[in-house]
Amino acid sequence: MAGLPRALRQTAPALLVARQWAASTSTATRPSLKLSLGVRIKTGNGVRSLSYSKHWRSQSLPTVTRGESKLYANADDAVADIKSGSVILSSGFGLCGVAETLIEAIRQRGPESLHSLTAVSNNAGAEGRGGLALLIESGQIDRMIMSHLGSNKILEKKYLTGKIAVELCPQGTIAERIRAAGSGIPAFFTPTGGHTFIQQGEIPVRHDADRNVVEYGKPRETRIFNGRPFLMETALPGDVAILRAWKVDKAGNCVFRYTAKGFAPLMAKAAKVAIVEAENIVEVGEIDPNDVDLAGIFIDRIVPATKPSQVEVLKTRSAEGGSDGKQVKAAKSGGSDALERRNRIARRAAKELKHGSYVNLGVGIPTLAPEFLPPGHQVWIQSENGILGMGPYPLPDEVDPDIVNAGKESVTLVPGAATFDSSESFSMIRGGHVDVSILGALQVSAAGDLANYMIPGKMFKGMGGAMDLVSNPDNTKIVVATEHVAKDGSSKVVQSCSLPLTGARVVSTIITDLCVFEVDRKKGMLTLTEIAPGVDVEEVKSKTDAAFSVSDNLRTME
């Protein structure tokens, strides 16, 4: 088995049942060779079929000539020489900052002219509306490297039936891999993903037509630094980057607005050819050097943006203080009883947010916590897509498509807020500069293990930034805010997680609608410290699948 790719050798000891190499060539748009390996391996659990494929492409890429004008008349001309098999770095988060004009021009070329693309992006746009979803629907993308599938049903169907491969990668790791590529760094070590399917290479990448897994992720090399495991991640360069900017001068200097920065500067630096669509194109010298977000050296082609920016999830509040978002949440959660449970959790979670602290709030219940802060109590809310100082939903006339949160919802900024690119955002997170991070959970264990992104065979949307958010639990307190039991009645607080982990021994406090547990991450023990009004210890025991002790100073949740 020495000739097998490393990811396939990980299943040994095993018996190789069958092996078949197949080679194919394509000259439709440029010379290429695809070499595929199909393998059937007999293990103690039966026969496992795996595949491995590698594209060898010619080095023919779009050309760049220094000294010539970077300005193109339209997007069609700028993408005309992109080759099939190219790696496309596509900026944006949800539909914010997405190069819609360039994506439409690529789509117009059609799969006969441009196909077998690998697209790198945080997510794949919105089905039927925009972003990379258009190229997935047209069949031009063969592989996605991303952190979150979102609610794109076409992508999910194509992924599960083998028509597209999806390499899931934590959001912060994608950002850092792209940043490394643009900086000439071939690899780096990160704590994100330790003790998870990322480290083990167990996340399915490609299925066959019968939904059997035929390709898995690559196991990561690990090393121990300061007593903690770190994974080696490799740089992620691209052939072409497509991005959108608010203002660009004819030298290529770019200015981005708010969360539209995201991945854009990182991707431009990591690509052989960077194409920017500009909402405003100005003469050289009209942008103050102090306002430049991305220097012109990184931009090769400029086109006018002809498609408007969109908001993927429009949320607003009324002038009286009500929130359309809250009304939707109340309706979806099943009425007043469910809403009261959520509010009880959020009210208690708010007590974890100390005055002046920097916090990150996961989607769902955690986002309700600021509504229960007392007057004059200020916290700085960090959103991993590039905000520090996030405010409430906007009034209808305040909606700005360039200001969205990690849930891709329209939001506002508070006075003193800052926006930045994804690399800087995750430096705050992995570096332990965020004081508290509150997340939801599918399961949380007595040792503080967290599982919140995947139910094998049922739900698989991707981890987004969650693995990064829990990667430094010694410096950032990790709080879980979740209902005590799942919809099927099973406990979410368990002795050990049966679902794939987001992080191991990371959670310090568990807040549910029934109680509060404090977690001793070193000893792997829970202590019940608070119970909800009308709840007794016996009810908590009956609905908890983990052993716990009861504090001598047991209090009532406020």
Side-chain angles (χ1 to χ4, degrees):
M1 297 175 67
L4 293 178
R6 180 180 176 185
L8 302 187
R9 297 202 305 269
Q10 301 297 318
T11 56
L15 175 64
L16 181 63
V17 177
R19 178 173 65 184
Q20 181 177 2
W21 289 96
S24 61
T25 60
S26 172
T27 58
T29 55
R30 81 183 199 187
S32 65
L33 171 67
K34 181 179 180 181
L35 192 59
S36 302
L37 169 63
V39 182
R40 299 180 68 228
I41 297 176
K42 186 175 182 180
T43 69
N45 297 321
V47 176
R48 185 179 184 187
S49 297
L50 301 171
S51 72
Y52 175 81
S53 63
K54 178 72 175 179
H55 284 273
W56 281 269
R57 305 188 315 242
S58 75
Q59 295 302 307
S60 175
L61 291 167
T63 59
V64 175
T65 304
R66 298 290 195 193
E68 292 185 353
S69 173
K70 298 180 179 182
L71 193 60
Y72 280 64
N74 54 60
D76 293 337
D77 291 346
V79 305
D81 56 352
I82 295 178
K83 308 296 192 258
S84 294
S86 293
V87 176
I88 307 294
L89 308 181
S90 179
S91 73
F93 187 88
L95 295 179
C96 175
V98 171
E100 298 283 9
T101 307
L102 290 164
I103 288 173
E104 175 61 22
I106 292 172
R107 189 186 71 83
Q108 289 289 346
R109 286 189 53 184
E112 298 80 11
S113 169
L114 186 58
H115 56 84
S116 304
L117 299 173
T118 293
V120 180
S121 189
N122 181 71
N123 51 281
E127 182 180 340
R129 294 183 59 194
L132 291 176
L134 300 180
L135 304 185
I136 291 168
E137 293 166 10
S138 68
Q140 290 169 278
I141 294 177
D142 177 70
R143 180 175 293 255
M144 286 288 311
I145 301 175
M146 61 195 304
S147 77
H148 197 259
L149 275 72
S151 57
N152 191 317
K153 297 298 183 183
I154 293 179
L155 172 59
E156 184 177 343
K157 181 178 180 180
K158 288 193 173 189
Y159 167 59
L160 292 174
T161 56
K163 295 180 180 179
I164 190 169
V166 175
E167 295 182 36
L168 281 171
C169 183
Q171 185 179 339
T173 299
I174 287 182
E176 196 65 12
R177 290 178 66 190
I178 296 169
R179 190 200 68 81
S183 302
I185 299 171
F188 58 91
F189 284 91
T190 176
T192 301
H195 303 292
T196 73
F197 275 12
I198 291 289
Q199 176 178 334
Q200 300 151 9
E202 288 294 324
I203 295 182
V205 172
R206 190 183 288 274
H207 300 76
D208 62 17
D210 297 321
R211 303 198 173 201
N212 301 306
V213 179
V214 296
E215 181 184 348
Y216 285 87
K218 179 182 177 183
R220 303 311 201 257
E221 177 183 333
T222 62
R223 288 184 63 181
I224 303 297
F225 296 96
N226 300 320
R228 299 176 62 202
F230 285 71
L231 313 187
M232 191 183 81
E233 296 284 356
T234 55
L236 185 53
D239 295 320
V240 177
I242 54 174
L243 51 146
R244 183 183 180 106
W246 173 60
K247 184 185 293 185
V248 181
D249 69 19
K250 294 180 180 180
N253 296 307
C254 297
V255 180
F256 302 96
R257 295 184 73 248
Y258 306 119
T259 54
K261 288 187 189 71
F263 288 87
L266 307 176
M267 289 180 166
K269 296 171 186 178
K272 297 180 179 70
V273 177
I275 311 174
V276 61
E277 61 178 67
E279 296 176 27
N280 301 280
I281 299 174
V282 300
E283 296 296 329
V284 174
E286 289 190 38
I287 300 176
D288 189 302
N290 200 45
D291 295 334
V292 172
D293 294 313
L294 179 68
I297 190 173
F298 299 111
I299 294 297
D300 303 296
R301 300 178 181 182
I302 306 164
V303 303
T306 58
K307 287 186 168 292
S309 297
Q310 303 183 69
V311 177
E312 183 165 338
V313 183
L314 178 62
K315 291 291 182 72
T316 60
R317 59 186 169 89
S318 67
E320 291 74 27
S323 168
D324 293 346
K326 286 198 296 183
Q327 294 167 10
V328 171
K329 289 174 184 173
K332 288 186 175 180
S333 60
S336 59
D337 289 345
L339 183 60
E340 175 52 35
R341 290 197 302 271
R342 293 164 63 88
N343 286 343
R344 182 185 305 153
I345 299 167
R347 186 181 300 111
R348 174 57 184 82
K351 295 184 178 300
E352 299 293 326
L353 309 180
K354 307 305 180 186
H355 179 67
S357 61
Y358 297 94
V359 304
N360 183 288
L361 305 177
V363 298
I365 293 175
T367 62
L368 301 177
E371 298 179 18
F372 296 96
L373 293 174
H377 190 101
Q378 183 183 43
V379 297
W380 296 94
I381 300 175
Q382 199 260 12
S383 184
E384 57 264 36
N385 63 309
I387 297 176
L388 185 63
M390 185 174 72
Y393 294 138
L395 296 171
D397 61 355
E398 294 177 336
V399 173
D400 189 323
D402 291 334
I403 307 177
V404 300
N405 65 13
K408 307 174 185 68
E409 300 170 331
S410 51
V411 291
T412 57
L413 304 176
V414 301
T419 58
F420 30 81
D421 68 38
S422 293
S423 177
E424 184 168 340
S425 180
F426 284 94
S427 292
M428 296 177 186
I429 292 167
R430 286 191 309 270
H433 305 286
V434 175
D435 298 306
V436 180
S437 182
I438 305 181
L439 300 94
L442 297 170
Q443 289 181 336
V444 58
S445 80
D449 299 340
L450 173 65
N452 73 348
Y453 78 98
M454 177 183 182
I455 300 176
K458 293 184 179 180
M459 186 277 291
F460 189 34
K461 298 299 183 183
M463 69 291 295
M467 287 187 179
D468 304 278
L469 287 167
V470 302
S471 66
N472 195 344
D474 291 336
N475 290 296
T476 299
K477 183 177 182 180
I478 306 301
V479 177
V480 160
T482 183
E483 295 193 33
H484 203 95
V485 298
K487 292 181 180 178
D488 63 2
S490 62
S491 178
K492 290 188 174 186
V493 184
V494 297
Q495 192 62 33
S496 59
C497 293
S498 58
L499 298 176
L501 295 187
T502 305
R505 293 183 181 265
V506 296
V507 178
S508 294
T509 300
I510 304 169
I511 302 170
T512 78
D513 52 313
L514 300 183
C515 64
V516 177
F517 290 110
E518 296 298 334
V519 184
D520 187 323
R521 295 187 288 116
K522 292 184 178 179
K523 295 180 180 179
M525 297 173 57
L526 295 178
T527 300
L528 179 66
T529 59
E530 302 176 35
I531 55 175
V535 175
D536 58 27
V537 174
E538 290 305 313
E539 181 179 355
V540 174
K541 285 184 177 179
S542 70
K543 295 180 178 179
T544 305
D545 287 345
F548 61 88
S549 61
V550 180
S551 171
D552 294 335
N553 186 30
L554 184 63
R555 304 185 303 276
T556 299
M557 291 173 65
E558 296 180 6

